Structure formats: C-alpha cells, structure tokens
Amino acid sequence: MLAALVIFGAGLLVYSQIWAFTGDEGFHLLAAQLIDKGRRPYIDFCFPQTTLNAYWNAGWMLVFGQTWRIAHVTAALFTIGAVALAAQFVYSRLPVEHWRKAAGLATIIAIGFNMMVVEYGALAQAYAICMFLTVLAFRIAVAAVDRPGLWLNLAAGLSAGAAASSSLLTGTYAPMLALWLLIANRAGN
C-alpha cells in the first residue's frame, strides 16, 4: 500500500511540474503575487473567491520566489496527503484484517488515480487544499464521536471552515459535518 502511495505521489509531483495547467489558474497566481506586494483582495483588486488558498500560495511564493512551481508542489502535497488520509482510514477501519491492504490500495487507486484528482489536484487553484481539509475534517469528526469533550469537534469545524475559506464549493460541508456530529455522537458530548 505504501509503495502505491509513493508511486502516486511521485507521479503527481512530476505531473505538477511538467504538464499541470489550466487556463484560469493564472488568476489565482496573480492574486498571490498581488497579496505578496501588499494588496488586499476585494479592496485593492477583484478576486471573486474566498482567500485562504490565495494567501497560502502567497506565503509560499514569498519564501521560495514568485513562481507557479511552488504553488503546484504544495497543491500536489495536499492531494497526496488527502489520498493518504483516506487510504489509512479505510485500512484502519476495515474489520476483515486480511483485506485491509487490498482495501487501502483500492482507495489509493480510486481516489489518487481519478482523472479529475490528477488534473486539478496539482494546480494553484483551491481544489487540493479543499480536498485535504475536508478529508481531515472527516477524520477528526469520526474520532470526535467516540470521545467526550469539544476539542475534536472544534478541530473538525475549523478544518471544514478552512476548506470553505479556500473555496465556497465546500461551503456546505461544515454544516453537514456539524449535523452529522450531533446525530452520530456516542460519547454524550
């Protein structure tokens, strides 16, 4: 299973540096560059998206230079992380022990080698960060229903909220996750 994840990760990183491109990606990169120059989205320039991903890209571009390559690397790493979190979840939760490796591998193949994940998971747009944060929020929420206290619930909500702060395409995820936490709670929180 780890070998498949490494193969997927290496392939996605190579793809991100050589072939990954979409026509409107430059809009996100320009927003990151303008943020690095001290401009503010919505006030100093038009940016019809939520801004966390733009600030994330701007931060990395400030450290490593004004290049699309760093935005592609960080997006690919987020995608690899999301696939790893999903595969590990399936592996750890499957009750039939001798099928765990096959199920984890199937998860890597089904998610990681999905053409949409490959195509958009290595771009400077918000898809990769949103995928990682929603999978992370799900993983935290699953852990939260079995434990008393509010800290894990808060962490799941923050992760889902950060995903919505990256793209409003994930805006319905936080309320849905909160409703699921209320219904599925077994620890009496």
Side-chain angles (χ1 to χ4, degrees):
M1 188 171 92
L2 183 59
L5 188 62
V6 168
I7 291 168
F8 161 70
L12 189 65
L13 284 167
V14 168
Y15 173 79
S16 78
Q17 298 302 299
I18 297 174
W19 296 291
F21 173 78
T22 188
D24 61 346
E25 179 184 25
F27 187 69
H28 296 269
L29 293 168
L30 177 60
Q33 286 181 327
L34 290 171
I35 289 169
D36 276 348
K37 292 180 190 250
R39 306 288 191 324
R40 297 165 297 175
Y42 315 132
I43 296 171
D44 297 326
F45 64 94
C46 177
F47 187 65
Q49 305 275 335
T50 53
T51 59
L52 182 62
N53 187 60
Y55 277 100
W56 175 262
N57 286 335
W60 286 110
M61 290 169 93
L62 188 64
V63 172
F64 291 106
Q66 298 292 319
T67 176
W68 58 268
R69 292 187 183 277
I70 189 62
H72 281 205
V73 167
T74 58
L77 291 174
F78 271 129
T79 301
I80 295 164
V83 171
L85 282 173
Q88 195 279 331
F89 176 78
V90 170
Y91 178 84
S92 67
R93 302 285 283 203
L94 194 69
V96 183
E97 191 169 331
H98 65 276
W99 280 99
R100 286 183 178 174
K101 287 182 184 176
L105 179 61
T107 304
I108 292 170
I109 292 169
I111 298 172
F113 292 96
N114 180 298
M115 196 60 222
M116 290 292 124
V117 171
V118 172
E119 186 174 352
Y120 292 103
L123 298 174
Q125 294 175 325
Y127 301 116
I129 192 171
C130 288
M131 185 166 69
F132 177 79
L133 290 170
T134 54
V135 173
L136 180 64
F138 169 76
R139 292 291 307 267
I140 295 169
V142 168
V145 296
D146 292 327
R147 295 190 178 105
L150 293 175
W151 291 108
L152 286 177
N153 295 311
L154 177 64
L158 286 173
S159 182
S165 295
S166 298
S167 173
L168 286 180
L169 294 172
T170 59
T172 59
Y173 187 68
M176 180 196 66
L177 196 64
L179 180 63
W180 181 80
L181 280 167
L182 286 171
I183 294 169
N185 185 343
R186 293 185 290 266
N189 294 347

